[in-house]
Amino acid sequence: VQLQASGGGLVQAGRSLRLSCAASGSIFSINRMGWYRQAPGKQRELVATITSDGKTNIADSVKGRFTISRDNAKNTVYLQMNSLKPEDTAVYYCYADEPGGWGTWTDHWGQGTLVTVSS
């Protein structure tokens, strides 16, 4: 599975950005897709994920501001980020998982895309 993310950039606080991530390759078994982020000096953290049947998991820190959606026909996941704050500044990583056999899951990561929110 290959994940290609796009849509990052520099934006002023209060504005919006939309991230996209397209999956390619052996995509038939993908379950969850979504986004994690890593700010400078901090650990990578969950932003939002969505399963193939539309169940979402969204971090409290972005709930009400960020929306995750998925187009299964295009194998693409989107993150609509509204009311951005300087603390949302981070490298955002696209994520997907699939069953790995024997009850395990295999994680896939895309390249990061930098989101910088200026105050």
Side-chain angles (χ1 to χ4, degrees):
V1 175
Q2 292 80 46
L3 301 172
Q4 182 66 47
S6 60
L10 172 64
V11 66
Q12 287 185 324
R15 305 297 288 269
S16 300
L17 273 179
R18 189 175 84 151
L19 304 182
S20 301
C21 176
S24 61
S26 300
I27 59 175
F28 305 106
S29 298
I30 289 177
N31 178 29
R32 287 184 304 170
M33 295 186 71
W35 300 90
Y36 283 70
R37 68 185 182 186
Q38 187 166 18
K42 295 189 177 181
Q43 290 188 328
R44 191 173 297 189
E45 64 177 4
L46 168 75
V47 179
T49 60
I50 183 168
T51 64
S52 56
D53 59 355
K55 295 185 179 66
T56 60
N57 182 21
I58 302 174
D60 288 342
S61 59
V62 305
K63 205 168 284 185
R65 300 187 297 121
F66 291 11
T67 303
I68 189 167
S69 60
R70 179 170 174 172
D71 186 335
N72 288 326
K74 295 182 178 179
N75 305 308
T76 299
V77 63
Y78 305 95
L79 185 69
Q80 178 65 42
M81 304 185 293
N82 298 330
S83 301
L84 282 160
K85 303 176 180 180
E87 51 263 43
D88 295 317
T89 295
V91 177
Y92 285 69
Y93 294 92
C94 182
Y95 166 85
D97 69 14
E98 62 180 334
W102 300 100
T104 65
W105 292 89
T106 299
D107 297 336
H108 302 282
W109 296 94
Q111 90 286 4
T113 185
L114 178 63
V115 172
T116 304
V117 184
S118 63
S119 56

